């Protein structure tokens, strides 16, 4: 690409030395198909987030939107063999290492790699972490755009581009899969950190290590269950000496220790082994148990797969227990979906359908209560969920909409987000979702920088009462306390083919909230011209359609933000329903190498990892753009906050020994009072 100036509007011009966001001489795609569920586009910089919208021809119908974003890709020599030990010990590859095996290495500098470390997302001080262990109560980028097209059947489509903490006696606890020796997966132990607010974290010593035959190959994912009278049962998967996946029980050495520093593994371990017909390496990640009063027992779900009859089904087995030592496998399966393969990190929890509040995991099914089943699909590394009806007596759960079943329908996040888990926070009566965000660079680079992977922002999860068929995910309120300088940029009209630099100061830690007004009549006229935008082939935010894309360029500079090629480059996208009387809203949280986006209050979310080589430190900037050829767009309101850094550091008994706080006074027993007499 040559250094030509480009712009077609009254807004600012940006010189480009690469494929420009607005390349005016490029022919528009014709006869394009409707946007599909996903938008994968190759873009050079870091990550791109796009929104495409399809305007409704009819009135009164629901409108939908697709949102998405783009991941990036450097030069060098073929690196050595991947070091991750996942495949050998019975879990799939956890990093992008193998895919980048033959990519030449980019000469990353220390300052580039240092910049990638986040400031308010949880990550260990060093080395590898992955999915969290559960508890009872858990660019550059970027182009963000919308594209509108009339949809003949009258829907407005907007196309765009873990396991959790537990609350225990005043502290949120996070246990996570951790390799103390290296920045790649292996030697999995339980890392441990505590927080008073889910934002500021204190590292504690490793909670559990592989030190028995039944977990010699790793202390894998587990879940805690708070029992009546403050007792705590921790079930986790151990990979044995022979790499058989078994379930083990552990409990706190001192239940009065608010920090839960020491754990005792039960003498009766393993408490559950793979049942007949289940593969020795396909049986892992026990859920938090839920209490079924009619049975006087606790139920625990475990993910697996059934490859008989070439079904390749993801399945959920349920065990019944009274004492967490003896377990009975219930007949049948809670649920199965053919073709979806191994289900990791299964989660099963109730949601209130008529009130905006979280429910304890043991809340029974009934009027106003539905159950969410979530699985992390080992085959494609995405977290899928469905909302449905649970019948404890039949050991059955059925989705409300079979066509949107687990693994074939909705996802928590349409970007990089996996092995998530929820927990019920009794302090704030909310259900909190935490996802694990892997790297999309190479293992080689991870080893150089000395760390890999982090946690997404904890998200409050609610049933979406407006759609009646999806969840809403939103960063926990405590994240707002990190907001510093507020830039209220008011209302901005953006002509087709323009880019507007936004003066918000340093642009590496931001919280961006925007509301867009869509010009439906203009969109209707544009649609008449039958010029479309195909998400699969459009080339990301750099390509143009009559109606867009439009949105934000995050962590951008005036050239391609990253010239590295040893990265996974990908465009992410999905549909966002925009209902009648709703405007299109968007929140984007930027924290160095991670960008989390929430459309329509969290109806659709996309998380990206980004590794700019240029738009870092003072060079990172924020732009609003409209890449449409025919339709202006109005950003009705735009507010951008600088974000503070969180305190994430080792626990210091001199500074942190005062455990008194309002949270400490919380009587967690009261939450389980319903079980006390059972
Ligand atoms: N990670 C754990 C497993 C789980 C997987 C091993 C999810 O228990 O299935 O580190 O990424």
């Amino acid at each position: 690409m040559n250094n030509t100036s480009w712009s077609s509007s009254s807004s600012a011009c940006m010189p480009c030395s690469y494929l420009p966001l607005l390349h005016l001489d490029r022919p528009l795609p014709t006869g394009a198909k409707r946007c599909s569920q996903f938008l994968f586009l190759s873009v050079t910089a870091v990550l791109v987030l796009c929104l495409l919208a399809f305007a409704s021809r009819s009135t009164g119908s629901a409108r939908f939107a697709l949102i998405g974003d783009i991941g990036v890709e450097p030069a060098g020599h073929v690196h050595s063999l991947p070091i991750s030990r996942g495949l050998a010990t019975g879990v799939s590859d956890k990093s992008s290492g193998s895919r980048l095996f033959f990519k030449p290495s980019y000469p990353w500098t220390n300052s580039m790699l240092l910049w990638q470390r986040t400031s308010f997302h949880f990550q260990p001080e060093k080395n590898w972490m992955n999915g969290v262990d559960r508890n009872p109560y858990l660019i550059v980028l970027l182009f963000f755009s919308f594209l509108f097209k009339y949809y003949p059947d009258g829907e407005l489509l907007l196309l765009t581009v873990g396991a959790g903490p537990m609350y225990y006696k005043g502290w949120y606890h996070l246990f996570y899969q951790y390799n103390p020796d290296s920045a790649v997966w292996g030697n999995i132990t339980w890392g441990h950190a505590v927080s008073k607010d889910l934002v500021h974290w204190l590292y504690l010593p490793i909670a559990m290590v592989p030190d028995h035959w039944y977990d010699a190959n790793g202390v894998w994912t587990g879940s805690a269950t708070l029992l009546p009278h403050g007792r705590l049962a921790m079930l986790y998967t151990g990979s044995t000496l022979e790499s058989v996946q078994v379930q083990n029980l552990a409990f706190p050495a001192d239940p009065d220790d608010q920090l839960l520093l020491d754990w005792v593994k039960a003498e009766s371990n393993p408490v559950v082994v793979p049942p007949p017909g289940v593969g020795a390496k396909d049986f892992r990640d026990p859920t938090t148990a839920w209490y079924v009063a009619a049975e006087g027992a606790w139920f625990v779900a475990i993910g697996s797969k059934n490859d008989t009859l070439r079904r390749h089904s993801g399945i959920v087995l349920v065990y019944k227990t009274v004492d967490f030592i003896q377990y009975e496998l219930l007949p049948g399966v809670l649920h199965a979906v053919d073709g979806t393969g191994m289900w990791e990190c299964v989660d099963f929890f109730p949601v209130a359908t008529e009130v905006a509040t979280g429910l304890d995991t043991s809340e029974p099914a009934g009027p106003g209560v539905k159950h969410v089943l979530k699985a992390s699909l080992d085959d494609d590394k995405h977290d899928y969920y469905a909302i449905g009806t649970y019948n404890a007596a039949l050991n059955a759960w059925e989705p409300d909409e079979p066509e949107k079943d687990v693994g074939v329908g909705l996802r928590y996040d349409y970007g990089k987000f996996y092995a998530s888990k929820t927990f019920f926070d009794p302090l704030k009566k909310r259900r909190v979702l935490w996802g694990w965000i892997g790297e999309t660079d190479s293992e080689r680079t991870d080893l150089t920088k000395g760390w890999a992977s982090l946690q997404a922002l904890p998200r409050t999860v609610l049933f979406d009462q407006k759609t009646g068929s999806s969840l809403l995910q939103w960063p926990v309120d405590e994240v707002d306390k990190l907001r510093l300088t507020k830039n209220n940029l008011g209302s901005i009209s953006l002509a087709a083919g323009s880019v507007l630099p936004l003066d918000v100061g340093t642009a590496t830690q931001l919280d961006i909230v925007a509301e867009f007004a869509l010009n439906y009549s203009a969109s209707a006229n544009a649609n008449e011209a039958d010029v479309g935008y195909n998400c699969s082939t459009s080339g990301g935010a750099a390509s143009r359609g009559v109606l867009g894309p439009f949105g934000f360029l995050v962590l951008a500079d005036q050239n391609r933000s990253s010239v590295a090629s040893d990265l996974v480059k990908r465009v992410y996208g999905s549909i966002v329903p925009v209902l009648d009387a709703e405007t299109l809203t968007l929140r984007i949280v930027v924290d160095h190498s991670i960008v989390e986006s929430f459309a329509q209050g969290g109806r659709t979310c996309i998380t990206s990892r980004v590794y700019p080589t240029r738009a870092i430190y003072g060079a990172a900037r924020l732009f609003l753009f409209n890449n449409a050829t025919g339709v202006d767009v109005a950003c009705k309101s735009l507010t951008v906050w600088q974000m503070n850094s969180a305190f994430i550091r080792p626990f210091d008994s001199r500074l942190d020994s005062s455990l008194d706080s309002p949270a400490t006074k919380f009587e967690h027993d009261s939450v389980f009072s319903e079980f006390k007499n059972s």
Side-chain angles (χ1 to χ4, degrees):
M1 285 294 159
N2 53 25
N3 273 320
T4 49
S5 264
W6 51 274
S7 173
S8 67
S9 79
S10 54
S11 294
C13 301
M14 290 175 65
C16 284
S17 59
Y18 62 100
L19 181 67
L21 180 62
L22 304 176
H23 45 106
L24 304 173
D25 51 350
R26 201 183 199 192
L28 288 168
T30 55
K33 295 175 187 157
R34 295 172 190 175
C35 287
S36 57
Q37 294 271 333
F38 298 91
L39 171 60
F40 290 96
L41 301 177
S42 227
V43 176
T44 37
V46 192
L47 200 55
V48 175
L49 175 66
C50 290
L51 286 183
L52 301 183
F54 289 78
S56 172
R57 187 187 295 267
S58 71
T59 57
S61 63
R63 300 172 180 134
F64 294 87
L66 282 172
I67 78 168
D69 65 349
I70 300 176
V72 190
E73 275 189 50
H77 59 278
V78 173
H79 58 80
S80 56
L81 286 170
I83 305 170
S84 170
R85 290 161 31 196
L87 289 175
T89 50
V91 288
S92 54
D93 238 354
K94 298 293 166 205
S95 76
S96 304
S98 55
R99 269 178 293 166
L100 299 170
F101 186 75
F102 295 107
K103 291 274 183 183
S105 156
Y106 177 78
W108 294 96
T109 64
N110 282 343
S111 81
M112 288 173 183
L113 297 180
L114 203 62
W115 179 91
Q116 292 172 14
R117 200 167 165 89
T118 59
S119 291
F120 54 90
H121 282 73
F122 177 84
Q123 57 182 128
E125 283 182 289
K126 60 178 183 176
N127 292 330
W128 169 274
M129 75 163 287
N130 63 294
V132 264
D133 303 296
R134 288 78 191 209
N135 294 289
Y137 282 55
L138 197 245
I139 322 203
V140 173
L141 169 57
L142 288 227
F143 311 143
F144 174 75
S145 58
F146 295 98
L147 182 66
F148 301 92
K149 183 183 190 311
Y150 268 102
Y151 211 61
D153 57 6
E155 290 178 328
L156 169 64
L157 294 182
L158 178 60
L159 172 83
T160 105
V161 214
M166 101 175 131
Y167 183 82
Y168 190 76
K169 299 192 176 185
W171 291 94
Y172 294 101
H173 289 254
L174 169 64
F175 299 95
Y176 54 94
Q177 300 279 281
Y178 182 58
N179 182 351
D181 303 327
S182 173
V184 297
W185 190 95
N187 186 29
I188 293 295
T189 66
W190 274 27
H192 186 192
V194 289
S195 172
K196 289 283 182 186
D197 60 5
L198 293 171
V199 172
H200 305 288
W201 289 93
L202 304 169
Y203 303 122
L204 288 172
I206 288 172
M208 283 203 278
V209 298
D211 53 5
H212 287 75
W213 69 268
Y214 52 75
D215 58 14
N217 267 309
V219 185
W220 288 2
T221 299
S223 299
T225 303
L226 260 184
L227 305 173
H229 312 298
R231 288 174 299 143
L232 187 57
M234 187 72 86
L235 281 172
Y236 72 92
T237 298
S239 178
T240 70
L241 267 178
E242 293 79 29
S243 292
V244 176
Q245 292 167 13
V246 298
Q247 316 312 322
N248 302 312
L249 173 66
F251 45 87
D254 175 7
D256 291 329
D257 173 16
Q258 299 172 357
L259 296 179
L260 294 172
L261 293 176
D262 297 314
W263 291 83
V264 176
K265 296 177 183 176
E267 283 181 5
S268 44
N269 283 339
V271 291
V272 186
V273 299
V278 166
K281 294 183 178 179
D282 306 324
F283 185 60
R284 56 185 179 269
D285 310 338
T287 63
T288 292
W290 64 97
Y291 189 78
V292 178
E295 300 277 340
W298 296 88
F299 287 24
V300 177
I302 299 172
S304 185
K305 70 173 173 182
N306 176 3
D307 270 333
T308 59
L309 303 174
R310 296 187 179 173
R311 282 199 173 126
H312 197 52
S313 306
I315 62 172
V316 182
L317 303 169
V318 177
Y319 286 82
K320 179 175 158 181
T321 184
V322 173
D323 56 9
F324 285 81
I325 305 273
Q326 306 280 338
Y327 294 80
E328 175 195 340
L329 176 62
L330 297 184
V333 293
L334 180 74
H335 195 59
V337 181
D338 287 354
T340 57
M342 176 67 199
W343 284 8
E344 297 187 308
C345 299
V346 165
D347 196 14
F348 188 59
F349 60 90
V351 282
T353 57
E354 287 156 19
V355 287
T357 187
L359 296 176
D360 180 83
T361 309
S362 293
E363 184 74 31
V369 178
K370 287 184 180 291
H371 274 76
V372 174
L373 180 60
K374 167 263 169 180
S376 301
L377 263 59
D378 202 16
D379 283 5
D380 71 5
K381 300 289 180 295
H382 296 309
D383 281 11
Y384 292 85
Y385 76 90
I387 302 170
T389 304
Y390 174 48
N391 187 326
L394 297 178
N395 183 34
W397 171 92
E398 291 300 330
D400 288 349
E401 300 176 77
E403 69 280 6
K404 288 189 188 168
D405 209 337
V406 180
V408 295
L410 298 170
R411 280 167 49 184
Y412 278 154
D413 193 294
Y414 291 86
K416 187 79 178 168
F417 187 97
Y418 192 61
S420 65
K421 177 71 179 184
T422 64
F423 73 104
F424 176 64
D425 174 3
L427 192 64
K428 296 204 165 182
K429 303 277 183 284
R430 61 185 171 182
R431 184 157 287 274
V432 178
L433 168 73
W434 248 24
W436 165 58
I437 314 298
E439 303 293 321
T440 54
D441 62 354
S442 69
E443 285 189 349
R444 181 180 47 210
T445 310
D446 293 342
L447 289 166
T448 307
K449 69 190 183 194
W451 60 270
S453 309
L454 50 92
Q455 286 297 114
L457 293 174
R459 302 173 180 178
T460 302
V461 179
L462 288 171
F463 180 75
D464 186 342
Q465 294 182 46
K466 287 186 179 171
T467 64
S469 59
S470 55
L471 297 176
L472 295 173
Q473 305 163 58
W474 199 246
V476 294
D477 292 346
E478 290 91 330
V479 170
D480 295 4
K481 292 184 185 157
L482 293 174
R483 288 172 170 173
L484 296 172
T485 323
K486 179 177 180 180
N487 282 290
N488 195 335
L489 299 169
S491 158
I492 301 171
S493 180
L494 207 62
S498 59
V499 176
L500 183 67
L502 300 172
D503 184 11
V504 296
T506 314
T508 50
Q509 293 177 212
L510 299 177
D511 192 352
I512 304 161
V513 174
E515 184 180 7
F516 293 92
L518 310 183
N519 185 336
Y520 293 118
S521 60
S523 304
N525 293 336
N527 189 62
E528 295 296 330
D530 193 30
V531 180
Y533 185 98
N534 186 319
C535 300
S536 313
T537 58
S538 64
S543 66
R544 307 192 64 187
V546 175
L547 304 165
F550 62 86
F552 293 96
L553 301 174
V554 188
L555 296 175
D557 71 356
Q558 295 191 344
N559 298 288
R560 217 171 254 297
S561 300
S562 177
V563 295
S565 61
D566 54 355
L567 305 170
V568 174
K569 297 178 178 176
R570 184 166 292 164
V571 175
Y572 304 120
S574 186
I575 294 174
V576 181
V578 180
L579 306 179
D580 284 341
E582 285 187 337
T583 52
L584 178 63
T585 62
L586 181 72
R587 180 176 181 184
I588 302 176
V589 182
V590 182
D591 182 10
H592 297 256
S593 60
I594 183 168
V595 178
E596 292 187 63
S597 307
F598 306 85
Q600 295 309 108
R603 205 170 273 160
T604 301
C605 309
I606 293 182
T607 297
S608 298
R609 295 305 306 280
V610 295
Y611 308 93
T613 54
R614 289 172 168 154
I616 54 179
Y617 301 104
R621 300 179 67 195
L622 175 67
F623 300 87
L624 185 61
F625 81 98
N626 177 11
N627 208 7
T629 57
V631 178
D632 299 348
V633 74
C635 184
K636 279 179 66 182
S637 65
L638 175 58
T639 309
V640 182
W641 288 267
Q642 290 286 332
M643 291 291 272
N644 206 347
S645 301
F647 297 111
I648 301 175
R649 58 167 174 79
F651 187 93
D652 182 333
S653 53
R654 289 164 305 171
L655 297 173
D656 306 314
S657 57
S658 168
L659 304 184
D660 279 335
S661 76
T664 314
K665 297 184 178 67
F666 172 73
E667 283 292 325
H668 64 279
D669 260 12
S670 65
V671 176
F672 298 92
S673 55
E674 65 194 276
F675 304 138
K676 279 185 175 166
N677 300 322
S678 64

